[in-house]
Amino acid sequence: MKRKKLAPIMTATVLLGSVFASVPQQIVSAEEVHTEDLLISEYLNGDGNAKAIELFNGTGSDVDLGDYSLEIYKDGSEVATDVIPLDDTLEDGRAAAIANPSDGEVARNALYTSEVLTHDGNDTFVLKHGDEVVDSFGQIGNEQGWDTKHVYRDRTILKGDTDPTDAFDLSAEWVPYWYNYYDNLGRHHVIAEDAPAEDTIEQAREEGYYNLVTIEGVITTTNGMTFIQDKTGGILLEGQLGGYDVSVGDYVRVEGRIDSYGYPNIYNYTSSIESKDNPLPEPAAIYNFDKLSPSLAGERVHLYNLTVGEKDEYDRTILNDASGSTIPVNGDSALPELEAGERVDVTAIYRNNGDYQTLYIDKAEDVERHLFIHDVQGEEMTSPYEGKEVEAISGIVTYLDGKGFYMEGEKDRNEITSEGLYVESSVNVSVGDQVYVNGTVQESKVERVQMKRTQTMTQIGNSDVKIVSQDNPLPEALQFGKDTMGKEELEELAMDDMNGLMRQLESVEGMRVSIGNAKVVILPSEMYTK
């Protein structure tokens, strides 16, 4: 059955036929929230004949449209210039759009058509139930009109504007929508003003294309793209239509439709800020890019020990992990000055578009220089990080002693700093494991009775150990007397400069050392105690 055209009542009256059975509609449960009567729920004043008006029944019961009429007051007229008669039954929870038939694309999204829909921005619509006004859009007698192309009713509005002569504040109850997108026609629902979000982000990501979702979460970046995250996941927001300009840390409520460019995002969305300055979700710790799964798309991640590469053809900074895998950074404006070859830890938003991956960095403070074992050891007898918390100190396990393990990291060009470090830990690691260690830098006392000295050994306590790979080759051992001072040199240094000797020992603390032609000498136990 074809849609029936609705003529103005002043020329020829054509009642709406029974078209609901033949045209599919979006049915959305009102979930125990009901409107007082029918509402005008959407207004389209597009280019040319792209004109439409939508009615919504959220009363909790089916409604006989024959009891209603829609009056039009054109160009600021104080009397109705056209009346669209209504007929048929509008079921509870359904929205019915009326469109100008001359625009086929708009008409395809509408249940009814009427040639009198030629409004141009200063026409007022009045919905009547019998002789009683139940809702209105605009202000009768206002020739100035309202600067809008396409709006829909705020979902929390349950009662119509019953005074069509009072001042019309479009921003009070109406939400902007892209004027050349008509997919919203025939889709409306209402919610309680304090209703919780209808979807988690995880649920929203699983919704089908075009589905309407309502989520809540914290804005994690607005640099280049806007991302939002809750406890279940993160998602990209594209094409804001109305609401507030959001900032990082805002807890917002978002309504929009699911789209997908390689992975789901919410587009054509509106937002309302519930609160500001909220803490951001804790980022997921990532030590290799191969751990960046699609499920993390849209979420905050903390990536460790990355090497800054050259710019790509799009002038984006490239970051490399230890395996040589690369990811570009979008929003380079947030990056501090970095040189190729620098090693950094980065907090970012991860985006996975299926064919490619990118990172969005919100601010310069989210990029920090990566700490190595030689940084923790430092050039002095005690660590410059003593008493401080450190993260992702990487090394290869070289020896186990029952209470922890020694590990050794990448060598630098500074002969004064050691590349070895002891970790107190009960984690079951094996020699050859590559580990990342978080914990507190400590100095453990070592009594050297023969030297009549107390020396400290740098270690990490209160540790959290992450094994990232196994069966790695061990770092090459230092050759005693070649890579270090030999026996005679150390003995001479011990006679002349005990502090110098201690510094020499400090420079190889915790590292593997190879000694050729070694002789085992058993000393009395009191000569060395720990």
Side-chain angles (χ1 to χ4, degrees), residues 171-222:
S171 64
E173 296 186 356
W174 294 87
V175 178
Y177 200 68
W178 286 5
Y179 78 93
N180 57 345
Y181 276 74
Y182 316 127
D183 57 284
N184 212 45
L185 289 171
R187 302 166 181 259
H188 191 74
H189 68 285
V190 290
I191 59 174
E193 190 168 1
D194 58 351
E198 298 173 6
D199 308 278
T200 65
I201 291 179
E202 182 181 42
Q203 291 169 336
R205 288 173 53 148
E206 294 174 354
E207 288 285 346
Y209 178 68
Y210 255 33
N211 279 3
L212 186 70
V213 296
T214 304
I215 62 169
E216 292 180 353
V218 176
I219 299 298
T220 54
T221 187
T222 57

Side-chain angles (χ1 to χ4, degrees), residues 215-475:
I215 62 169
E216 292 180 353
V218 176
I219 299 298
T220 54
T221 187
T222 57
N223 182 32
M225 291 285 187
T226 300
F227 287 86
I228 185 173
Q229 187 172 339
D230 67 8
K231 293 180 179 180
T232 69
I235 198 165
L236 170 67
L237 303 178
E238 288 199 290
Q240 184 175 21
L241 298 177
Y244 300 94
D245 290 331
V246 296
S247 303
V248 173
D250 287 351
Y251 187 85
V252 301
R253 183 185 184 91
V254 172
E255 182 179 284
R257 297 201 179 277
I258 289 294
D259 198 0
S260 179
Y261 294 100
Y263 83 101
N265 60 79
I266 298 177
Y267 78 110
N268 290 1
Y269 71 94
T270 61
S271 63
S272 59
I273 299 174
E274 306 293 316
S275 61
K276 301 184 75 68
D277 299 322
N278 294 278
L280 302 185
E282 283 296 317
I286 302 295
Y287 301 97
N288 289 304
F289 287 163
D290 61 4
K291 302 300 181 183
L292 286 170
S293 65
S295 64
L296 288 173
E299 294 188 30
R300 299 182 78 227
V301 294
H302 196 100
L303 303 124
Y304 294 99
N305 197 9
L306 304 181
T307 303
V308 179
E310 302 290 345
K311 298 270 189 174
D312 66 6
E313 66 268 32
Y314 304 106
D315 200 35
R316 298 178 301 182
T317 298
I318 299 297
L319 297 177
N320 307 270
D321 70 0
S323 71
S325 298
T326 64
I327 290 185
V329 176
N330 279 0
D332 272 11
S333 60
L335 286 174
E337 290 294 327
L338 297 174
E339 295 184 4
E342 283 192 67
R343 304 289 280 276
V344 293
D345 298 338
V346 172
T347 300
I349 313 300
Y350 171 57
R351 185 179 183 186
N352 184 321
N353 274 29
D355 294 333
Y356 68 95
Q357 305 173 83
T358 54
L359 297 173
Y360 288 84
I361 296 174
D362 186 64
K363 56 186 183 301
E365 292 77 9
D366 291 334
V367 180
E368 299 177 330
R369 190 174 72 84
H370 180 71
L371 286 183
F372 293 89
I373 290 177
H374 52 252
D375 296 313
V376 175
Q377 286 283 8
E379 296 185 353
E380 303 299 327
M381 297 299 293
T382 58
S383 170
Y385 292 91
E386 182 181 4
K388 297 180 180 180
E389 299 292 322
V390 292
E391 287 188 341
I393 307 302
S394 178
I396 303 296
V397 176
T398 57
Y399 182 75
L400 312 178
D401 72 353
K403 295 182 180 180
F405 58 87
Y406 287 87
M407 66 177 186
E408 198 166 327
E410 296 181 34
K411 292 180 172 58
D412 63 358
R413 297 178 180 178
N414 189 345
E415 295 181 354
I416 300 176
T417 58
S418 170
E419 308 298 343
L421 190 64
Y422 182 74
V423 179
E424 281 190 343
S425 173
S426 59
V427 175
N428 186 22
V429 298
S430 300
V431 172
D433 287 351
Q434 182 189 10
V435 296
Y436 278 88
V437 178
N438 302 341
T440 306
V441 177
Q442 302 169 341
E443 292 290 342
S444 176
K445 290 184 178 180
V446 177
E447 300 290 343
R448 300 195 184 278
V449 177
Q450 188 181 32
M451 297 180 182
K452 299 180 180 180
R453 291 273 179 160
T454 298
Q455 188 176 3
T456 62
M457 182 177 71
T458 303
Q459 64 181 36
I460 295 181
N462 305 318
S463 63
D464 177 32
V465 179
K466 173 72 173 180
I467 302 172
V468 295
S469 63
Q470 297 178 306
D471 300 323
N472 295 281
L474 299 186

